[in-house]
Every structure is written in structure tokens, then in C-alpha cells.
């Protein structure tokens, strides 16, 4: 665990609030799914909150992320609004994706969220492209400072993905490309020890995925993925370097998912002691203890934050429940920007 | 009319069980047969299809793989080229996108490129179609890419009995076969003979006889087509429902015989309309069986859209009984006729 | 009849030059436009299409990439999603197999999956077709995979003038466009207007007028179809040659107008027959224009084989003027008619 | 350069002969192409002969290779017959592939050649599958010793590929899989400093591709790819380990192609000094000098070998010229094993 020295109380409390927001968002989503409000898959992020929150705390408003099938945490950490997220999960018209995407595809470019992704590894090359656009923005800033894209001149892209994804070809190709072109991309691998039901040692012959960085001559860093401040520290440093034009880094965050791979999976393939160990290492519980041990805030303040989260989610659920269902014919919209008179293209 | 042998004593299995039984029987028969796929081992696959096979045949033969579709299909191909028959699973056929080089440039072409001197007894089980709110990247029906790729056989099994008999034929075939299984059929039940039977590739099946119109359907559209035929029967329409069972090879003669009886053709397909396999069937009919056609061909297909998430939207995209029945009505009541003048 | 403006003073360019000019003009117009591809920089591409562009626009805008098709297309998509229009080259369209996830699961679906809230101004230049003894992995015509994938526009440019005008439209389109260029056309010459003109996506072109039969052809089959039409003219047959120019969107009205004149349809395609885009055209006609058809539809296509190496075999596989002419004769002399009864 | 001690003269001379055979095969192929005998692409292997010959010298009759677009050298080294190879290049019926494949696709499973390949990186996963079949053969040998596949129980698979290919996703996925399953596969990377016209430093941010082995916890070895004995030594050691069940290795051979990427490419993108340096390091010239410096053989013996090669190739060319062209309809054969009555499937 990190020392709290040097961080403002507001910042530290915000980290806490975000983690609780994610935890409770996911717990409620699971409940809502069992009640029939959510028709599709859910891959809960519970247990990994410190990664999304720590990493996104290092980002500013001209930075971008790509996410995964386990994306709610990243999206909330990056500023996603639980109202539009629940509305999307409920398949309602006010959802971020107007009910066309669902959990696997929530995106909002304005917030810097290029999208969750249903394809394991699918978001990684896209982040490289974002890095390319960000690098270009530096040129634009010099030559055409009025172009709105010039504002991104200092931007970085963060791509989240799992241990399982680190075996995909896209991972390798993307790191090579980003390293070669010194793009401002941080590759954040959340090693939660499983790809679906398969433990890490059965899907790759290494323990530390960070070692794969050496194949691209870039830094390979390891963070305690259950320690929000450690993640913040490591990603901040990598982002700082990237903003300075020093190129990408691979950051492995060691963590664990508390639940099954998706809602419905009980996760029995995991040894009880392992689960117990990691429940003990709960990122929120421990961070809460740390905050209380310091002089940053009181139990009451944290309870107030907890309650505010509860309140926010209560309202978000109500918002989603009140949101209209899409009209069936909306299925025909949004394939292309134009309608081409509807049928001609459809 | 049907190539499926009748079971002495009716034995009802689910489609998933029938597939598992075919795999197990073939693994017994050929002790070198391997299974490869993500989470197919201990967990028995995401849809439970391979449950128990690891325990029965050991981890030397049932291989859980990393998430690396390209290498997995390449590895299956390499083993097959050395005479080790292999069945690989693509968990959602959408992920075949990651293995297209190995499927299309390598597996499909190896025999041909080598002048017939190599053989790749490889089956790729493709878990296909929507499963309800699975959205754009977990719902695709991509069979037409592969029918358009010479060198691949393409099987679409629509019932438990067909699944068993066709999968066994696919496994014994010396060439690469893509075997499409529909997620929403896994729990469907039907009679499945207990004995070792094969359904040859290339024989369609008249699933329901009729005289007014030929309704072609496969996979999850087959039960819907049958329901539509039932509905239409009460309106006095006699609908013949025909399942091609394998798209490559395609049973042209079977289709012709049906059109000789009905003179009208409606094709149903879950995939988006544009350039789906329905287009090929329509083209075959318009080219080879034109004189038999009494009315325009009708395609009842998925809309030309990616698959949306919301159930209302998904239902709009995929043909249902009502839409199929409407297509049939339109075709039967059409008064355009083709007349053979010579 | 044609959307291509006439050049004041005839200026003849090769197809490759026309493409290069379109790229250069668009790069001038939009200083953020990027080009990505293997060896497109200093070497100017394997076929020389991008020659000089690196020198002119610098290596920040013309990016030579490693051999990593998936990451390259993904990177192009990512840049496009952030509002940076990007043109990526796939050196042989066969290699698109390695980037299918990014093309199909990502680029094609992004706008739709996000409820219309994202835009990907991405063009993928697909170098397609055989180039003479290029064999099975360097000769494929894969356009039908992409026409079957909702969310992609598919352009097939068959002349220098079309190539320039269509590519410029593709680049300005806010959605992903696959732009097919045929290797054997790169050196073909034609008049190309010097001014900044666009050819809209979705407008076919009557390349030669005629009254007996509509002959549909694109890419390298277009010059062959024209030669066949020429041959047939001397036999007294009046063949209308129609080039769809873009397969998605497809100019249904243009095809209908031609069939209204001719009542007969022959479709030519380099790709293997089964499930090529010819099947979709045939299906559209059999479904929507059936009353106009006086004869069975005819497809003159590549055989359902991978591409063989030997020139004799390759020539057998791909339709030539003779085979096209034979298809037309058969269709014109067919006496089967479709009669509209109301 | 290696010492010759410990090698039999016959073995050493055979290495020489094979390298000369490849060199002259390629030179003649280029000539024959310019005379119009060869309709398709040619990617000459000239300059890299030591890699194919050294690596294949470590293999026995139950081993397998996969090759690349630059495959003639591998195929000859593995025992390919120049007659059937030229016949294939000439697109004649007696070619290894009956004129259906051409240079990019020559294969002969009986000789252990699973195939050249037109897709950069395409052969790598296939070799992993061969490794899987070889590992299975060990089980077969125990349980069903009469099965002909049992003979392969000690086999290894070697997959050749270039520096450019090492950036493909297939490379990464394949190494992970082979390492995880401890398959008997040797990954032989021929780093000739260029992928097509692009120099290594413009396609990857590393110099030693062997370092990529650490991502899979397998040995990453470097051989002097212009020294046939060094390649032999390194690959032999890796193969020995693989045969003992110790799993795969990545062997990087540093080498150079003397000519352009393909016949017709003049290779002007390469600095003159670089070319001069590598021409000086010619694997055949230097090996010849080494042989003569030792007591292995005399100038006359080597000249006799040279002439025998000339003779063999002369006959091979004559054979290919005499071979009939395929009949056009043969295009319809060999799609599947059965004809299915021809048209039904075609
Ligand atoms: C290309 C692809 N293959 C397989 C899957 C099915 N799948 C979804 S999540 C998952 C496991 C991913 O593991 P990891 O990358 O470690 O992420 P985690 O689930 O642990 O967050 C798999 C195999 C998929 N969605 N995409
Ligand atoms: C997937 C794919 N992309 C691109 C090409 C075109 N191509 C053929 S060879 C080659 C360069 C390969 O470089 P390398 O792997 O270093 O092998 P070398 O040619 O140097 O032997 C390229 C890009 C191809 N054949 N396949
Ligand atoms: Mg994981
Ligand atoms: Mg190289």
C-alpha cells in the first residue's frame, strides 16, 4: 500500500468514490439482470476497481481509452454517466448507444471512451490508431492551432485488456506498431489470473505479462492492481513519458475478479484459498482502511460518499426504467450516416 | 425422402447432446482424433457442448486453448495435414474473423494448391446466430463467406438427428468442413438414433411436404419456417419445407424436385439479406430452374444491418413466423408466371 | 447516362495514375488525411500506385507499416474514429483475411453499435483479382464477403475516370468504404478530367447501350464484357453493358431501367460463381424484376475453385470474351419468357 | 566461423553441395524466368543458403518443415527434387503441385515439407499443428506401435520465416501455444534485415528478434546465418531439446539476401556498403574457403561437386521443359477429394 502523502484529500476521496460507484453499479446491475431488466451478457468488474480508477485518474479531457467486454468500470472511471449506462443495459432509447450496443459496446467519444469491445483484444489496435491521431494532433497544433483537433496535442490513449487478450495476435502487432512509431499509448493489462474459465498457467507459459514489453523495447511495468494509488502512480508516470514523446509502455496490473466470468458463472473452477486470498485483498476495503488510518477523512465522510453513490445509482436506475424502449424500425437506422432512401441500402 | 434412419425405440436428445454424442463416438472410433478450442475442456465449453469429454478422453485429446483463434485453427490444420483428424471449435462464429487466413488461405486451398496431394481432415465447429441480445459481435451468421470460398464444405445442422449424422460425416470427410451450430437450437430436442449412422453431405431433406410453394430454411429458421407452414395450412396453403442441410455441397436436385412440385420459391435466412446464401439459392433457381418458376422468388431474411442489442430491435431484424408467412402469401398470390416456350 | 464529367481537353491517364491523383488531391484538400500501408512510402507501393506521395506529403502522413494487417487496419480505424480520415492499403486483398476482425467486427459496426454516434471516415484500398500466375493466395476476388457485411460500402472502379471520381467520394464519405482496385487494370488508360470531380456512390453506368440483353460487369471483367459485346455486335446482337460501379450501395434503379430495355440479364464476375456478388444481382432481379425477365438469368463467373498457378488453368478459371459471348448467346436465344399476368 | 573438427567429410561436403545446389537453382530460375519459362513470382533465396542447409541438416526423415514465399532453399535443403520443382515453376504437369501451386506453394508431405506459403507468417501456426501431431505420435508409439504415425514419435517441426513475419500476430500466438504445450517446434527466423523494401529498423523497434523468446519463456538463440555450421549447431541443439520433450525454441539467423525482394526488384533501397559487406560474408564462398583450409577436401573435389550440381540442374531443366502443360479442365480437379459428380460442387 502507498502512502497518502502528496495527494489532495479531494483527489483521494474521489478515487474512493469512483471505486465504490463501480462496485455498487455492478452489484446492482447483477441484481437488475436477475430481475429481468437487462437482457444481455454482463461481465462484472467487481474486484478490479482500482485498475480502472487508478489508471483513469491519470487522464485528462483530451485523452482516450479503449475497453473490453468487462468495461463498465473503465467507462465509469472515465466519467461515464450511470444513467445512460443503465439505460443502455436495459436496452432503452436513452442508452449511450440508443439500445443498439448493450454492455459490450458502450462508447462515447466525447468522453474519450472509444468503446467497450466484444472481441478479446479487439480494442488494442484501435487505441494504436487513437495514438496516431494524437501524435498527428501535435503537428496540427503547430501548423493549424485553430483546428479543434489541436487541443489533443498532449493526449494519450490507454487501452485496457486482460491476461487472456495478451495471447492474441492483435496485442503483439499493436505493441510493435506503437513502439515503432513512438505513439502515446499505454497498454494496461489487467491480469486477473483467468481468461474465462482458464487459469493463466494454462493459457500462457509466463507469469509476468509485463515481460512481453521487451519484445518491443518499451518499458514493462507492474502495478499492484488492487492498490488504486499504485496503479495511478505507474500509469501517471507512463502517461507523462508518452506525452513527452517517449513512446508507449506496457503496464501489467495484478488483480482478480471476485465473481464469475459473467453473471451466471459461479466461478467454481477457482480454488477456495485463492478466492479467499483475493477477497482479503479487496481494493476498496483496503483503500478505505488506508484513508481512515490517515488523516484524510472520517468514517462519516466516507459514509456520506457511499450514500451519495447509492443515491446517484438509485436515480440512474429510475432514469433507465423510465426511458422508452426503442421502436422496432429503429433497427434500420445508423448503418450509415445517410439513409440512402432507406431500402436502397437496407 | 429423409436420409436419417429411424430409431427403433425413440430416443430424444437435445441438439447439444447429439453433437456431444457424435464427438464421443468418433473419438472412440478413431483414437487419434483431437478436439481443440477455448474452454472446451474442464468447463465443457461455454454452451456445455463438450461437457465430460475431457474427463473421458484426457487432456492429450481435448485441448483447452489460449485465446488465439488464428494459431488454434492453424494448429488444427497442421495436425490434420499430418493425418491427425481434428475438430476445432470457434466459440462464436464472429471470432472466425480472427482465423480467416488459416481457414480461407490455408485450409480451404491446401489440397488444391498441392495438386490434390494433401488432405486436411479438419472440422471447424462454428457456433452461430443470435442468442438473444448478444448484439453485433456475438450474433453473426457468416456462412456465406465460406460458401463463397472454394475448398470448404459447409454444413448447417438444424435438428438433433441431423447434427449427429452430419457431424460424423464431417469428421470422416478428408477435407475441411465448417460445421455451423445454432446457439438457440442447443436445447431443442428430437429423436436421435442410438446407432452409428451417417448423413451424407449433399442431401437436402423435405421436412414437410406441400404443393403450393417451396420454403427453404435451415438452422434456427427451420423451426420458424415450420411454424409458418403450420399457420398457413390453416389458411389452406400447402407449403413444402425443404432444408438443404449442407450448403456446400448443395443438393440442386433436391431443390429442383421440390420446385417441380410447387413452382414457387421462398427462401428464409437469418443472416442479412445482401449476399447471404439465400442469394445463391435464388441465383441457382433463376438460372437453372427458371422454367419451373410461376412467381418471383422471394427472400425473407435478416435486415441489412448489424445485429442490434435491444430485443425489440433484434426481433425486427430476424425473420419470424409472421414475416415468413407473409412472404409465402405474397409469393403464392403472385400471378406472374414463367412460361416455358420451348 | 454517365456521371463522369467530360474533360475539356482529353487527358489520358492510367488507372494507377488516376488513383494517385485522387489521393494527392484529397491530401491537399484535407491536410489531416493519412495514408497507411506496407511499402507504400519510399517504394511507392508494390504496384507503384503511391509513388511520390511520401516525398510530397512527408512521412508523418504517408506511413509505411510493418507486416501486421490487423493492427494496421485497426490503427486506421482508430484514427478515423477520432476524426482523422485515413486511407489504408491492403497490398493483395487476400491479406484482408488477416484483418477481418477490424474490418468486419469493428469498422463496419462502429456507427451502428454506438447508435449512430460515431463515424469512421476510413477507406481500405483492396488490390484485387488475379495478376497472371499469382496463384491461390494472391488472386482472390473477395468483394462478396464485404457486400454481405452491413456497414461497409463497397466500390469497384473499372476505369481511370471512375477510379478517380469514386475514390474521392469514398475518401469524403463519413463511413468505411472498401475500394477494390484490379491489378490488371493499373496500366489501362483512359480520359480523366483534370478538375476536382466526384462520382457519387450508388450510381451505375451504362457503358455501352444495347437492346437485346443487359450484360453486367465490373473491374477486369468490364473490358472483357465490352469486347464480347463488340464481337456479338458483328453477329447482330445489341448488348447493353452496365457497370454497377459500387456494389454497396447498389443502383437497383439503374439495373431495372436497363432490364426494362432488354428483358435479359447476364452477369459476369471474376470471383468463383458460388455466392459471389453475381448471386446477389441475380437474386435482386429474380425477386424484384421478375416480370421483366424474358429468359433465365445467366451467370458467367470464375469456376468454384481456388486460383491455380498455371496460365492455362487460370485462363480456364476466369471468364474470357468467348465465354462471356457464349453466355450472352445462350440467353438471347432462350425462348423461356416470363409473362406478367397483372 | 566454426571449426570443422568432429564432422565427417561426407557431411561437410554435403552441406557444401546443398548450398551450391540452392544458389545455382536460384540463379538458373532467375534466368529461366527472364527467358519466359516461369510465369509467376520468384523470391530468390540467394545469400541465405546457410540457413536452410544448416537447419535441415539437423533433421531426420520424420521431421517436418513449413516454409515461406522464399521457399526454394528450404525445399531443396529438405530433399526436394529440382526436377519437380522446376516443373512446378514452369507450370507443368510433373511439378510437385501439378502446376496448381507455383513457387509460393510447393509442398510434399512425404518429404516432410508441409509447404511454402504465400502469406507472410501463414506457415507458423501450421508448424505448431505439426508439433501437436508429433507430440501425439509419442502417445501412439506407446499405445499403438503399429500405427504408421508412431514412427514420428521423435519428430520435430521447423518453421522458417523472416524478420518481417515476426511482426505478425500469428508469430506471437504460435510461440505462445507451442511454448505452453511444450511442442517440438523450432521457430527459425531468417533475419535478412528487410521485409520487402522496408529495413528492419522501420518495421520493428528491436534488433535481435531472438529476444522475443522471453515472452514465452523459451530459449531465444542467435546463429550466424551465413555460417552453415553455426546454424547446424544451434538448430541441432534446439531440436535435441525438443525431441526430449523440453519444448520449442526461437532461433534467429542473421543473414542477408543478395538480390532484390523478388526477381525484378533491383534492391536499390539498400545502401551500397551494406550490400558490399554482406556479399563479402557470402556463406558459400566462405565455407568453401574453410573447407579448403582444412584437410577435408581438395579444390578438385569441390569442383566435382559443383559440376555434379550443374549436371543435376541441367537435367532438371530439361525434365521440366519436356513436361507437358496441364490440360485446362484440370483446373476443376483437386478442390475436394471426391468429384461429387463434378458440377454439383463446382
Ligand atoms: C476473439 C474472442 N475470442 C473469444 C472470446 C470469448 N471470451 C470473452 S471474454 C473471454 C476471456 C477474456 O479473458 P481476459 O482477456 O483475461 O479478460 P477477463 O475476462 O479476465 O477480464 C473470452 C475467451 C471473445 N469475446 N473474443
Ligand atoms: C500477410 C501478407 N502480407 C504481405 C505480404 C506481401 N509480402 C510478401 S513477402 C513480404 C516481406 C516478408 O518479409 P520477411 O518476413 O522478412 O521475409 P523475406 O522476404 O525477407 O524473406 C511481404 C510484405 C504477404 N505475402 N502476406
Ligand atoms: Mg483475465
Ligand atoms: Mg526479411
Amino acid at each position: 500500500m502507498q502512502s497518502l502523502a502528496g495527494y489532495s484529500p479531494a483527489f483521494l476521496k474521489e478515487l474512493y468514490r469512483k471505486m465504490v460507484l463501480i462496485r455498487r453499479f455492478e452489484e446492482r446491475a447483477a441484481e437488475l439482470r436477475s430481475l429481468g431488466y437487462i437482457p444481455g451478457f454482463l461481465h462484472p468488474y467487481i474486484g478490479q476497481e482500482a485498475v480502472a480508477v487508478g489508471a483513469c485518474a491519470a487522464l485528462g479531457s483530451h485523452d482516450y481509452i479503449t475497453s473490453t467486454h468487462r468495461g463498465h468500470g473503465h467507462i465509469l472511471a472515465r466519467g461515464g454517466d450511470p444513467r445512460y449506462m443503465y439505460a443502455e443495459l436495459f436496452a432503452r432509447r436513452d442508452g449511450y448507444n440508443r439500445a443498439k450496443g448493450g454492455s459490450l459496446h458502450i462508447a462515447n467519444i466525447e468522453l474519450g471512451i472509444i468503446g467497450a469491445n466484444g472481441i478479446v483484444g479487439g480494442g488494442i489496435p484501435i487505441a494504436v490508431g487513437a495514438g496516431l491521431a494524437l501524435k498527428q494532433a501535435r503537428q496540427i497544433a503547430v501548423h493549424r492551432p485553430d483546428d479543434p483537433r489541436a487541443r489533443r496535442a498532449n493526449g494519450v490513449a490507454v487501452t485496457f485488456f486482460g491476461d487472456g487478450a495478451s495471447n492474441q495476435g492483435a496485442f503483439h502487432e499493436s505493441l510493435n506498431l506503437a513502439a515503432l512509431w513512438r505513439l502515446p499509448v499505454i497498454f494496461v493489462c489487467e491480469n486477473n489470473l483467468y481468461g474465462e474459465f482458464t487459469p493463466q498457467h494454462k493459457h500462457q507459459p509466463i507469469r509476468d505479462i509485463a515481460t512481453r514489453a521487451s519484445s518491443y523495447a518499451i518499458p514493462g511495468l507492474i502495478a499492484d492492481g488492487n492498490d488504486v494509488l499504485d496503479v495511478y502512480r505507474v500509469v501517471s508516470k507512463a502517461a507523462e513519458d508518452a506525452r513527452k514523446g517517449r513512446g508507449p509502455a506496457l503496464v501489467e496490473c495484478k488483480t482478480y475478479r471476485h465473481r464469475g466470468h459473467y453473471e451466471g458463472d459461479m466461478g467454481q473452477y477457482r480454488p477456495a484459498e485463492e478466492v479467499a486470498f483475493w477477497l482479503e485483498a479487496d481494493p476498496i476495503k483496503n483503500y478505505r482502511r488506508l484513508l481512515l488510518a490517515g488523516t484524510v477523512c472520517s468514517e462519516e465522510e466516507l459514509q456520506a460518499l457511499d450514500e451519495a453513490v447509492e443515491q446517484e445509482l438509485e436515480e440512474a436506475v429510475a432514469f433507465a426504467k423510465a426511458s422508452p424502449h426503442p421502436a422496432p424500425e429503429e433497427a434500420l437506422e445508423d448503418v450509415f450516416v445517410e439513409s440512402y432512401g432507406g431500402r436502397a441500402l437496407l | 425422402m429423409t436420409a436419417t434412419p429411424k430409431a427403433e425405440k425413440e430416443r430424444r436428445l437435445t441438439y447439444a447432446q447429439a453433437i456431444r454424442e457424435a464427438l464421443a463416438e468418433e473419438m472412440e472410433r478413431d483414437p487419434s482424433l483431437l478436439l481443440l478450442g477455448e474452454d472446451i475442456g474442464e468447463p465443457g465449453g461455454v454452451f456445455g457442448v463438450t461437457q465430460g469429454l475431457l474427463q473421458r478422453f484426457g487432456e492429450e485429446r481435448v485441448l483447452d486453448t489460449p485465446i488465439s483463434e488464428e494459431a488454434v485453427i492453424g494448429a488444427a490444420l497442421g495436425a490434420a495435414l499430418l493425418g491427425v483428424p481434428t475438430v476445432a471449435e470457434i466459440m462464436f462464429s464472429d471470432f472466425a474473423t480472427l482465423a480467416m487466413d488459416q481457414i480461407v488461405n490455408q485450409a480451404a486451398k491446401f489440397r488444391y494448391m498441392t495438386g490434390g496431394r494433401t488432405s486436411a481432415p479438419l472440422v471447424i465447429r462454428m457456433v452461430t446466430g443470435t442468442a438473444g441480445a448478444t448484439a453485433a459481435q456475438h450474433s453473426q451468421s457468416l456462412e456465406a463467406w465460406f460458401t463463397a470460398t472454394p475448398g470448404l464444405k459447409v454444413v448447417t445442422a438444424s435438428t438433433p438427428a441431423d447434427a449427429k449424422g452430419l457431424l460424423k460425416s464431417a469428421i470422416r470427410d478428408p477435407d475441411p468442413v465448417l460445421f455451423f451450430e445454432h446457439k438457440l437450437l442447443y436445447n431443442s430436442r428430437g429423436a436421435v438414433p442410438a446407432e452409428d449412422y451417417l448423413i451424407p453431405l449433399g442431401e437436402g431433406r423435405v421436412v414437410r411436404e406441400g404443393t403450393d410453394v417451396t420454403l427453404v430454411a435451415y438452422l434456427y429458421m427451420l423451426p420458424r419456417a415450420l411454424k409458418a407452414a403450420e399457420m398457413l395450412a390453416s389458411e389452406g396453403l400447402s407449403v413444402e419445407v425443404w432444408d438443404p442441410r449442407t450448403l456446400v455441397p448443395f443438393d440442386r436436385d433436391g431443390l429442383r424436385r421440390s420446385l417441380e412440385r410447387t413452382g414457387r420459391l421462398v427462401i428464409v435466412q437469418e443472416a442479412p439479406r445482401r449476399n447471404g446464401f439465400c442469394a445463391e439459392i435464388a441465383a441457382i433457381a433463376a438460372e437453372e430452374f427458371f422454367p419451373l418458376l410461376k412467381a418471383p422468388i422471394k427472400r425473407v431474411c435478416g435486415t441489412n444491418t448489424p445485429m442490434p442489442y435491444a430485443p425489440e430491435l433484434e426481433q425486427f431484424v430476424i425473420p419470424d413466423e409472421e414475416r415468413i408467412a407473409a412472404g409465402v402469401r405474397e409469393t403464392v398470390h403472385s400471378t406472374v408466371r414463367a412460361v416455358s416456350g420451348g
Side-chain angles (χ1 to χ4, degrees), chain A, chain B:
Chain A
M1 273 289 160
Q2 305 286 308
S3 136
L4 302 179
Y7 298 111
S8 79
F11 175 80
L12 292 170
K13 283 193 273 186
E14 179 60 7
L15 296 183
Y16 173 80
R17 192 190 70 80
K18 276 269 170 75
M19 290 202 289
V20 173
L21 179 70
I22 294 171
R23 172 75 51 98
R24 292 294 298 136
F25 181 95
E26 294 291 61
E27 287 171 347
R28 293 189 77 129
E31 237 174 85
L32 290 159
R33 186 170 187 277
S34 71
L35 294 173
Y37 283 100
I38 298 177
F41 295 121
L42 283 187
H43 299 85
Y45 194 68
I46 293 169
Q48 303 180 204
E49 296 88 347
V51 179
V53 172
C56 289
L59 303 184
S61 55
H62 297 296
D63 297 327
Y64 292 86
I65 67 167
T66 69
S67 168
T68 67
H69 57 287
R70 200 176 300 292
H72 304 166
H74 310 132
I75 291 158
L76 286 164
R78 190 75 188 110
D81 186 324
R83 290 180 301 165
Y84 306 131
M85 290 174 68
Y86 277 135
E88 187 60 31
L89 298 184
F90 285 23
R92 305 299 174 93
R93 219 194 244 147
D94 292 305
Y96 268 120
N97 304 33
R98 297 180 58 229
K100 291 225 168 87
S103 171
L104 292 180
H105 306 296
I106 295 179
N108 190 285
I109 304 262
E110 290 70 39
L111 289 172
I113 300 162
I114 309 181
N117 212 304
I119 301 296
V120 170
I124 307 177
I126 296 173
V128 173
L132 192 58
L134 294 168
K135 192 175 174 196
Q136 188 195 50
R138 296 187 197 150
Q139 300 288 319
I140 295 178
V142 174
H143 300 296
R144 283 165 288 133
D146 293 340
D147 187 315
R149 290 171 295 192
R151 279 186 299 230
R152 299 178 187 148
N154 259 318
V156 299
V158 168
T159 176
F160 294 99
F161 55 94
D163 48 303
S166 75
N167 299 324
Q168 285 285 36
F171 163 86
H172 172 70
E173 295 187 6
S174 297
L175 268 87
N176 189 64
L177 203 55
L180 182 70
W181 291 346
R182 301 182 83 71
L183 300 180
V185 182
I186 323 286
F187 296 86
V188 176
C189 180
E190 301 187 61
N191 183 354
N192 63 7
L193 303 180
Y194 287 83
E196 231 166 63
F197 320 124
T198 303
Q200 189 193 4
H201 69 90
K202 285 200 168 177
H203 72 63
Q204 55 192 193
I206 54 166
R207 237 188 134 100
D208 291 336
I209 297 168
T211 61
R212 293 192 163 172
S214 64
S215 287
Y216 318 100
I218 61 169
L221 312 166
I222 294 181
D224 177 347
N226 280 24
D227 179 345
V228 65
L229 288 172
D230 197 42
V231 174
Y232 171 71
R233 188 182 54 81
V234 175
V235 174
S236 294
K237 174 68 174 64
E240 205 174 289
D241 285 349
R243 293 185 208 283
K244 286 187 183 139
R246 297 201 189 120
L250 171 61
V251 178
E252 176 184 4
C253 300
K254 307 276 192 185
T255 185
Y256 202 70
R257 59 168 153 78
H258 289 182
R259 303 218 176 186
H261 172 61
Y262 39 53
E263 276 306 307
D265 165 31
M266 304 306 290
Q268 317 96 316
Y269 42 86
R270 307 191 297 179
E273 323 79 78
E274 182 186 281
V275 176
F277 171 86
W278 284 98
L279 285 178
E280 199 44 52
D282 185 322
I284 299 180
K285 198 167 66 182
N286 287 331
Y287 184 63
R288 193 177 210 280
R289 205 177 290 144
L290 183 73
L291 286 184
L292 291 175
T295 53
V296 176
C297 57
S298 63
E299 173 69 33
E300 290 68 39
E301 280 177 285
L302 293 185
Q303 268 176 23
L305 288 177
D306 292 349
E307 277 154 31
V309 161
E310 229 48 58
Q311 187 58 29
E312 182 177 0
L313 292 177
E314 192 63 36
E315 282 166 27
V317 171
F319 173 86
K321 285 183 180 170
S323 175
H325 289 263
E329 308 75 40
E330 289 175 29
L332 297 177
E333 297 168 8
D334 303 325
V335 179
F336 296 111
V337 72
E338 342 72 332
S339 72
Y340 277 103
R343 265 209 85 209
L345 264 188
L346 289 172
Chain B
M1 197 132 294
T2 155
T4 315
K6 299 276 175 276
E8 292 296 309
K9 253 188 359 187
E10 272 236 335
R11 202 179 58 119
R12 294 180 69 79
L13 298 183
T14 67
Y15 182 83
Q17 286 167 334
I19 292 168
R20 190 183 313 139
E21 191 169 277
L23 292 171
E25 286 180 17
E26 292 302 302
M27 291 185 81
E28 285 291 355
R29 189 185 57 80
D30 182 347
S32 72
L33 179 64
L34 299 180
L35 305 190
L36 264 72
E38 293 164 13
D39 292 305
I40 63 164
E42 291 249 2
V46 168
F47 296 95
V49 174
T50 51
Q51 234 153 41
L53 296 179
L54 174 81
Q55 290 74 11
R56 185 158 159 200
F57 296 102
E59 43 178 46
E60 305 274 343
R61 298 187 60 197
V62 180
L63 292 102
D64 261 339
T65 72
I67 310 172
S68 319
E69 283 80 6
E70 185 171 8
V72 168
I73 298 299
L77 170 62
L81 284 167
L82 293 207
V84 177
T86 304
V87 180
E89 175 182 300
I90 296 282
M91 189 193 290
F92 286 75
S93 67
D94 315 64
F95 311 156
T97 47
L98 292 148
M100 289 296 278
D101 172 49
Q102 290 298 325
I103 301 174
V104 168
N105 289 333
Q106 314 294 343
K109 298 177 173 44
F110 236 93
R111 179 184 293 280
Y112 193 81
M113 292 190 301
T114 57
R117 290 188 171 134
T118 53
S119 179
L122 167 67
V123 175
I124 306 179
R125 294 181 41 238
M126 298 281 242
V127 182
T128 194
T130 185
T134 38
Q137 294 174 339
H138 286 74
S139 303
Q140 289 169 89
S141 295
L142 300 173
E143 63 273 14
W145 287 357
F146 304 104
T147 58
T149 304
L152 299 174
K153 293 175 186 165
V154 178
V155 176
T156 50
S158 311
T159 67
D162 278 3
K164 183 177 170 190
L166 289 167
L167 182 51
K168 289 171 69 109
S169 291
I171 290 172
R172 297 190 200 177
D173 197 285
D175 285 305
V177 179
L178 300 198
F179 188 87
F180 283 84
E181 305 169 7
H182 199 289
K183 294 161 205 145
L184 290 178
L185 292 176
Y186 278 135
N187 291 322
S188 67
R189 287 187 177 273
V192 178
E195 69 266 23
D196 174 28
Y197 67 96
L198 299 174
I199 299 178
L201 308 187
E203 290 190 9
R205 181 167 80 99
V206 175
V207 184
R208 177 190 172 109
E209 297 188 15
T211 52
D212 291 329
V213 60
T214 298
L215 183 59
V216 178
Y218 58 89
L219 290 174
Y220 190 54
M221 292 296 106
L222 181 63
R224 292 197 170 178
L226 287 168
K227 273 190 211 147
E230 197 68 48
M231 283 166 47
L232 292 162
S234 68
E235 300 172 20
L237 286 181
S238 170
V239 178
E240 177 144 312
V241 178
W242 186 75
D243 176 2
R245 298 207 288 199
T246 67
L247 309 187
V248 180
F250 181 73
D251 184 2
R252 283 175 149 71
D253 289 338
L255 178 61
R256 183 182 40 70
R257 283 194 301 271
S258 183
L259 289 177
E260 279 166 358
R261 285 188 286 272
T262 65
R264 290 182 157 87
L265 178 59
V266 177
I267 312 155
V268 192
Q269 169 191 285
E270 179 173 329
R273 166 189 315 257
R274 192 190 307 113
N275 243 133
F277 194 72
C278 65
E280 177 62 20
I281 297 178
I284 289 172
E287 194 168 23
E288 302 175 28
F289 312 138
F290 190 76
L292 300 174
L293 295 175
K294 295 186 237 170
I297 294 167
K298 176 83 192 167
R299 293 184 285 171
V300 182
C301 301
T303 55
N304 281 332
T305 61
M307 191 64 75
Y309 167 63
E312 297 88 342
L313 303 180
E314 184 187 290
Q315 272 160 42
F316 183 86
V317 162
I318 300 175
D320 59 11
E321 297 87 281
E322 285 302 339
R323 197 148 34 112
I324 297 169
V328 171
R329 278 188 212 104
E330 185 186 324
T331 301
V332 173
H333 298 132
S334 165
T335 48
V336 178
R337 291 168 304 124
V339 180
S340 171

